[in-house]
Amino acid sequence: MKISRPFIHSVLAFAIVMLFVQCNKKNNTTEKSAETPAAQATSISGKLPIAYVNIDSLLQKYNYAKDLNESLLRRAENSRANVNEKGRQLEKEMAEFQRKYQNNAFLSQERLQQEQQRLMKKQQELQEYIQRLEDENMREQQKMLSQMNDSIINFIHEYNKDKKYEAILNNASTLYIDPSYDITNEIVDLLNKRYVKK
């Protein structure tokens, strides 16, 4: 069971992309002002009333995302260490069983079968343990991602009350955006200012 940094980074990036899609949908359903789109477009320094956030930069710089990533890596490493220890113990017992079998050390066929069944049961329990750990880790990961998504979505809504953007996009789902529309550093700075490490 190996969870790599790129995997966790990909999961975080996907979660952020999804949250911006949700955020944009919510923004589109909110009430529009009485101004026409043309008037709004020129009201912000002659630029369109849009902005975007670079997802990769957000994940690399947002302290909560970094702490989340470290927490998930620690959890995965602990799980892997537990599984490896149990696996080594089972391997030892199976090697001992093989040695006894080759040396005819079992007193009876019944005793041989009992030991085989015990080892098979232990192997099945290890597989169930691995599955249980993976399920727990996945649930914890989903819970933490959901908390981070909520944190960012709520912040974006709060942030946009003053900024009045018509859309805040993410760069992951666009082919090109003029870099002057990038508000990533501002968002990250403000998010980090309000984030308190637990």
Side-chain angles (χ1 to χ4, degrees), residues 123-136:
Q123 187 175 27
Q124 182 182 354
E125 286 171 350
L126 178 59
Q127 290 169 346
E128 290 170 357
Y129 175 73
I130 291 170
Q131 185 61 52
R132 196 165 54 248
L133 274 181
E134 287 176 351
D135 292 345
E136 287 171 8

Side-chain angles (χ1 to χ4, degrees), residues 186-198:
E186 182 182 1
I187 294 292
V188 170
D189 288 344
L190 292 170
L191 279 168
N192 283 338
K193 280 180 187 170
R194 77 178 205 157
Y195 172 59
V196 178
K197 186 171 182 175
K198 292 179 183 173

Side-chain angles (χ1 to χ4, degrees), residues 147-162:
Q147 290 171 348
M148 186 175 70
N149 287 349
D150 289 347
S151 164
I152 294 172
I153 287 173
N154 290 336
F155 175 78
I156 292 289
H157 282 273
E158 201 61 37
Y159 169 85
N160 203 39
K161 283 180 183 175
D162 293 331

Side-chain angles (χ1 to χ4, degrees), residues 16 19 23 25 44 49 52-53 68 77 84-85 94 103 105 111 130 147 153 155 160 170 176 184 193:
I16 298 296
L19 87 89
C23 189
K25 283 181 184 173
I44 303 176
Y52 78 92
V53 175
L68 171 64
E77 186 58 39
N84 288 343
E85 180 58 34
M94 291 177 90
N103 294 324
R111 181 68 191 103
I130 291 170
Q147 290 171 348
I153 287 173
F155 175 78
N160 203 39
N170 68 73
Y176 175 78
T184 306
K193 280 180 187 170

Side-chain angles (χ1 to χ4, degrees), residues 41-55:
T42 57
S43 67
I44 303 176
S45 307
K47 294 171 67 174
L48 293 173
I50 62 170
Y52 78 92
V53 175
N54 184 304
I55 299 303

Side-chain angles (χ1 to χ4, degrees), residues 172-189:
S173 61
T174 57
L175 296 175
Y176 175 78
I177 308 175
D178 185 322
S180 65
Y181 290 102
D182 187 353
I183 59 169
T184 306
N185 289 334
E186 182 182 1
I187 294 292
V188 170
D189 288 344

Side-chain angles (χ1 to χ4, degrees), residues 115-129:
E115 187 63 10
Q116 276 180 322
Q117 288 173 357
R118 185 186 75 78
L119 289 173
M120 285 171 57
K121 184 176 183 210
K122 198 162 184 179
Q123 187 175 27
Q124 182 182 354
E125 286 171 350
L126 178 59
Q127 290 169 346
E128 290 170 357
Y129 175 73

